[in-house]
Amino acid sequence: MLNKGVGIVIIIRKAGSDDLDRVEEIYNRIHTEEEAGRAGCGWKRGIYPTRDTALQALSRDDLFVMEDEGDVVASAVINSSQMWQYAHIDWAHVAKDEEVMVLHTLTVDSEKGGKGYGKAFVSFYEDYALEHKSPELRMDTNERNVRARGMYKKLGYEERGVVFGTFCGLADVNLVCLEKCLEERL
């Protein structure tokens, strides 16, 4: 739980099957913003992310949602699953797989942006990683996603390299890989 102010609490929790419709709605709103040129995350409707993306994460028990006053406003996947392409990155910290926690598919409802939800979700991710004794944090984002890259930089994440290829069905993507080590907080 994150206290947002007097009487207002943001809750981040594991998603349930009853959250799938809302997560899919958030994905679709982001796709609409992308198609209209108002967002630059590099995602494509019908390819990534889709309801099936959320369903697969739900079945693995690694889909999380953020609620503000009972409304799901954001979602993310948090697990220790690194893409094989991560092996080509010159990470600053050598870590065993079980010491790495990865943030995937962080989304904030485009109609609810600008309220610090993304930053709050990343803070939750960091705390979750520490609870699971995984101080090495890794993530990736499309090179075009300047907004996310800026937020991650402000939060202390370092861009360690770019991998090129097809990811989650999206062709010709440059993914910027980011890293932060929380070892000093263990």
Side-chain angles (χ1 to χ4, degrees), residues 41-42 141-143 162-167 169-176:
C41 56
T141 190
N142 193 304
E143 189 174 51
V162 178
V163 291
F164 176 79
T166 299
F167 303 97
L170 299 169
D172 301 325
V173 176
N174 289 336
L175 285 182
V176 176

Side-chain angles (χ1 to χ4, degrees), residues 98-162:
E98 61 270 13
E99 296 173 328
V100 177
M101 193 66 66
V102 184
L103 179 68
H104 310 270
T105 323
L106 174 60
T107 65
V108 175
D109 186 333
S110 56
E111 293 184 0
K112 311 265 182 184
K115 297 180 181 176
Y117 294 140
K119 181 180 175 183
F121 223 124
V122 172
S123 179
F124 171 83
Y125 158 60
E126 292 177 0
D127 291 342
Y128 183 84
L130 288 174
E131 288 172 20
H132 289 83
K133 308 278 190 270
S134 301
E136 177 65 14
L137 305 179
R138 295 181 180 166
M139 65 177 76
D140 58 74
T141 190
N142 193 304
E143 189 174 51
R144 294 176 41 202
N145 198 342
V146 177
R147 187 174 185 182
R149 290 172 64 191
M151 178 184 74
Y152 297 140
K153 183 177 181 178
K154 286 179 185 175
L155 296 175
Y157 288 80
E158 183 181 345
E159 293 185 359
R160 298 299 305 165
V162 178

Side-chain angles (χ1 to χ4, degrees), residues 169-184:
L170 299 169
D172 301 325
V173 176
N174 289 336
L175 285 182
V176 176
C177 296
L178 301 104
E179 173 184 39
K180 182 175 182 178
C181 185
L182 303 174
E183 202 161 74
E184 66 280 355

